[in-house]
Amino acid sequence: MDSCNGMSEKKNFLSLIVVMIVILILLAMSIMLTGCTGRVSDKSESEDSAQNDTMLSSYPEYIEVETPLGTVKGAVNGDVFVFKGIPYAKPPVEELRFAPTQPVEPWLGVLDCLDYSAAAPQVGSIEGSNGESEDCLYLNIWAPAAEKNLTDSEAGAPVYVFFHGGSYSKGAGSKPVNDGTYFAEKGIILVTVNYRLNALGFMALEETMKQYGTTGNFGTLDQIQALKWVRDNISAFGGDPKRVTAGGNSAGAFAVSALMISPLADGLFSQAVLESGCILSSPVTSPYNRGDLEKSLDMSRRYAEMFGAEDSSEGLSILRKADADFLAHNAVFSLNFIDPATYSFWPVFDGAVIPKDPLKAVKEGRIAPVKLFAGYNTDEGSLFIDEDITETDYKTSAYLMFGAQKAEKILGKFPATEDHSAAARDRDLVTMSCFRAGMMEYADKLSAMGQDVYLYHYDYMTPTLLKTGLGATHASELPLFFGNAKKLDREGETLSREMHLALVNFIMNGDPNVGFERPSGLLWPKYSQQSQGDQQSEINEANTMLFSTECVIEGVAEMEDLDFIRELMFGSGMIR
């Protein structure tokens, strides 16, 4: 009897051991399936144990994705996967400063992508970024969780690559306004990109032209490399590399329009979004170099002299050893168009990255055949022109932007009067020349080529802006398009939904009318070319969406005045 009891106890003990082993195996398998492992290369055993204990008691906090370059770990935020600070290029330091962008090399182990990278060196700080550093070529991804991917395409989700603004001298993809959560929740992968800025990104030297066949467009080459990274890697995140929309606001719109005529960006995106800006307006926006190669080289030579450097191989070595912050902080863009900054570096029409004559390239059809979503704000110029400027200030602004002969025509056409103050005139001039004229050249050409074009006019003031007197000023539309606007009234909340869903529909389907139902229910017609010059039509078709407290379809606002400005800017070639 005692022998039988002993055998029974042994069997029970063995059974218990088997059950425990099975439980441990199942737990291990569940952890592997969730993809919630720590970074292999630098996690201690105790850290891994603590992390695993947490994960067993809650929904996974992390997700790992294997890309062709290596594995990245991101965060799980509800139905959205977020990856911050993914490297897309080698750090542009030492011998890679003032050199074309180099692709990032593969890595071993798991790369933590839970925090934003540093922003490019610049004046001021950027909320959300991890300081400033030349080691800044990183991108961020918001992707719909696999089971929540709302796209009908078996190939994957549509992708929106967004380039931030900041006059090519400041900014970062980590700004809170650029958070892509609302896009990802609707089935779109949003990618934001850091790129080199100011002198570090756009300084033009004959020495770098001799060595690399290009100069002054290193920030643009960063943007091209980011798009190549998306092409080669985005499918790992559930994206379709053939459904990429490139977009940006302000300098980001200038950037995307430059990419549309760059032979190096051919085929990297099929749709474009331009919010307030076009590279054709560079000559009036950056008057001391106007995008012109020779003027840019001359300005860069004078800037290099500050650092004791000539435009030579030895001088380039000196510049590569110079303090990065000092290089950046003395090369800023002035928001005061009456007194523009002496050293404001912008993309250069070098003939390699950007055609030497961008206007000619557009007119000859050497522009990416993409669908276009583009527009402007009513009061763009209020950010750049103070309310209390004098008539002399207005004249100064016109002369700087257009040169004496054309400026006199502008002052004759748009004089300062009791009904139209100098500030009002100058603000309208900045709005039309810097943010509308070039964009309309793109819209007309693409429409004539048979591409779908959708134009908008933003004319809404948030309660906060209403207090400033700036009106619907430059860049104020961006939070509404992203769905991230704060402190809106009821009309603003409705308008934000309207704008966000219109952009979502365009990115997903190439048409703002197809997809999610917008609050207005308005049919947004395609823009059709408004004839210019000798063939100018007296008919101004209503095919522009007015985003305001009440959305309506309107014609091109102030078309006669805009045509006058376009003729001065482009009628006899670009301003040099």
Side-chain angles (χ1 to χ4, degrees):
M1 190 71 151
D2 290 339
S3 175
C4 289
N5 288 337
M7 291 180 62
S8 177
E9 289 176 358
K10 287 181 180 179
K11 287 182 180 181
N12 290 338
F13 179 71
L14 289 173
S15 298
L16 180 62
I17 291 176
V18 170
V19 170
M20 291 178 66
I21 291 173
V22 171
I23 291 174
L24 289 172
I25 291 173
L26 290 174
L27 287 173
M29 289 179 63
S30 68
I31 292 173
M32 292 175 63
L33 288 173
T34 60
C36 298
T37 60
R39 185 168 181 170
V40 175
S41 58
D42 56 7
K43 291 281 188 181
S44 67
E45 289 184 7
S46 60
E47 286 176 318
D48 285 336
S49 176
Q51 184 184 47
N52 288 340
D53 288 342
T54 300
M55 292 171 201
L56 290 174
S57 61
S58 64
Y59 187 79
E61 295 180 16
Y62 306 113
I63 179 69
E64 290 183 5
V65 170
E66 186 175 346
T67 77
L69 292 166
T71 302
V72 294
K73 181 171 76 172
V76 177
N77 181 15
D79 292 336
V80 177
F81 297 153
V82 184
F83 301 84
K84 299 177 179 178
I86 301 178
Y88 68 86
K90 292 181 180 178
V93 298
E94 299 176 349
E95 293 303 306
L96 291 182
R97 180 190 285 182
F98 303 124
T101 321
Q102 298 299 308
V104 67
E105 294 182 352
W107 57 84
L108 298 175
V110 179
L111 186 66
D112 280 352
C113 295
L114 302 173
D115 297 305
Y116 290 118
S117 70
Q122 57 192 275
V123 175
S125 60
I126 296 296
E127 185 180 356
S129 65
N130 188 14
E132 297 173 14
S133 170
E134 273 192 280
D135 183 4
C136 62
L137 301 186
Y138 297 81
L139 52 79
N140 314 295
I141 294 175
W142 288 261
E147 69 274 13
K148 297 295 183 180
N149 193 330
L150 305 181
T151 179
D152 294 328
S153 171
E154 294 181 359
V159 183
Y160 186 32
V161 181
F162 182 82
F163 297 102
H164 68 80
S167 61
Y168 288 110
S169 65
K170 63 184 305 180
S174 57
K175 295 180 68 173
V177 71
N178 299 333
D179 185 287
T181 298
Y182 293 118
F183 284 108
E185 287 179 346
K186 296 172 183 65
I188 292 170
I189 294 179
L190 182 88
V191 182
T192 64
V193 181
N194 286 359
Y195 52 93
R196 281 176 280 183
L197 302 169
N198 45 67
L200 292 164
F202 299 97
M203 191 171 180
L205 297 169
E206 288 185 0
E207 181 63 26
T208 51
M209 176 65 89
K210 182 171 67 176
Q211 290 189 24
Y212 307 117
T214 180
T215 190
N217 288 312
F218 304 116
T220 304
L221 290 171
D222 294 342
Q223 295 160 358
I224 293 171
Q225 178 56 34
L227 286 168
K228 289 180 177 178
W229 188 97
V230 168
R231 177 195 63 194
D232 298 337
N233 294 275
I234 204 64
S235 58
F237 300 85
D240 184 350
K242 294 182 180 179
R243 299 175 67 197
V244 175
T245 299
N249 82 305
S250 191
F254 278 77
V256 172
S257 62
L259 297 173
M260 290 169 69
I261 57 175
S262 173
L264 303 185
D266 185 41
L268 293 177
F269 55 98
S270 59
Q271 300 187 144
V273 175
L274 305 181
E275 296 178 39
S276 305
C278 177
I279 197 68
L280 295 183
S281 294
S282 289
V284 294
T285 310
S286 184
Y288 287 146
N289 69 344
R290 300 194 185 279
D292 179 75
L293 177 58
E294 292 304 320
K295 285 184 171 64
S296 298
L297 288 170
D298 181 63
M299 184 177 75
S300 297
R301 277 191 291 266
R302 287 184 280 110
Y303 192 65
E305 290 174 358
M306 291 177 56
F307 300 85
E310 297 180 345
D311 190 351
S312 64
S313 177
E314 294 77 12
L316 181 59
S317 295
I318 292 173
L319 290 170
R320 282 176 169 162
K321 295 174 183 176
D323 182 76
D325 288 334
F326 192 56
L327 275 167
H329 284 225
N330 286 280
V332 298
F333 181 85
S334 172
L335 293 180
N336 182 359
F337 272 40
I338 312 300
D339 185 23
T342 305
Y343 299 112
S344 177
F345 292 91
W346 279 57
V348 179
F349 310 151
D350 67 339
V353 178
I354 301 174
K356 284 191 174 182
D357 190 335
L359 178 64
K360 183 179 180 183
V362 172
K363 289 187 177 298
E364 292 179 353
R366 289 183 282 124
I367 181 173
V370 298
K371 294 183 177 182
L372 179 65
F373 183 110
Y376 73 99
N377 301 352
T378 300
D379 304 298
E380 303 271 10
S382 65
L383 187 65
F384 308 95
I385 303 296
D386 290 339
E387 180 64 36
D388 59 353
I389 68 166
T390 65
E391 287 189 44
T392 301
D393 291 332
Y394 171 34
K395 183 175 182 177
T396 299
S397 176
Y399 267 62
L400 284 169
M401 294 169 69
F402 285 86
Q405 187 176 5
K406 292 181 177 180
E408 285 298 331
K409 292 182 179 180
I410 289 171
L411 297 171
K413 174 76 170 177
F414 308 113
T417 65
E418 289 186 4
D419 295 330
H420 301 280
S421 69
R425 288 299 200 193
D426 207 2
R427 287 177 170 183
D428 287 344
L429 178 62
V430 169
T431 297
M432 286 190 285
S433 60
C434 297
F435 302 108
R436 294 187 63 187
M439 181 192 69
M440 292 301 294
E441 293 290 321
Y442 270 51
D444 279 349
K445 186 60 184 181
L446 288 171
S447 175
M449 290 169 59
Q451 296 298 318
D452 294 346
V453 175
Y454 296 93
L455 293 187
Y456 72 83
H457 169 194
Y458 176 78
D459 185 43
Y460 171 73
M461 290 171 285
T462 65
T464 301
L465 265 181
L466 194 60
K467 298 175 183 178
T468 68
L470 293 175
T473 194
H474 184 65
S476 60
E477 87 295 341
L478 184 60
L480 283 79
F481 273 130
F482 268 70
N484 294 327
K486 308 297 183 184
K487 298 181 180 179
L488 296 176
D489 53 23
R490 183 173 299 178
E491 290 176 331
E493 291 176 352
T494 300
L495 179 60
S496 182
R497 287 196 298 273
E498 174 78 21
M499 293 170 62
H500 178 62
L501 293 178
L503 182 54
V504 164
N505 288 346
F506 176 79
I507 294 167
M508 297 190 77
N509 305 299
D511 186 337
N513 302 294
V514 178
F516 292 95
E517 184 177 353
R518 308 193 321 269
S520 73
L522 287 173
L523 176 65
W524 186 344
K526 298 175 187 176
Y527 171 80
S528 58
Q529 181 185 13
Q530 304 296 303
S531 300
Q532 305 298 320
D534 295 337
Q535 289 79 40
Q536 182 170 333
S537 171
E538 294 182 359
I539 301 175
N540 186 358
E541 296 182 23
N543 49 25
T544 299
M545 172 65 80
L546 176 66
F547 287 129
S548 189
T549 52
E550 181 180 355
C551 296
V552 298
I553 305 300
E554 65 175 13
V556 176
E558 299 134 354
M559 192 169 83
E560 181 183 346
D561 292 344
L562 181 60
D563 285 347
F564 177 82
I565 296 297
R566 290 177 66 182
E567 179 62 26
L568 287 179
M569 290 178 64
F570 310 124
S572 57
M574 294 185 71
I575 298 172
R576 296 293 187 180

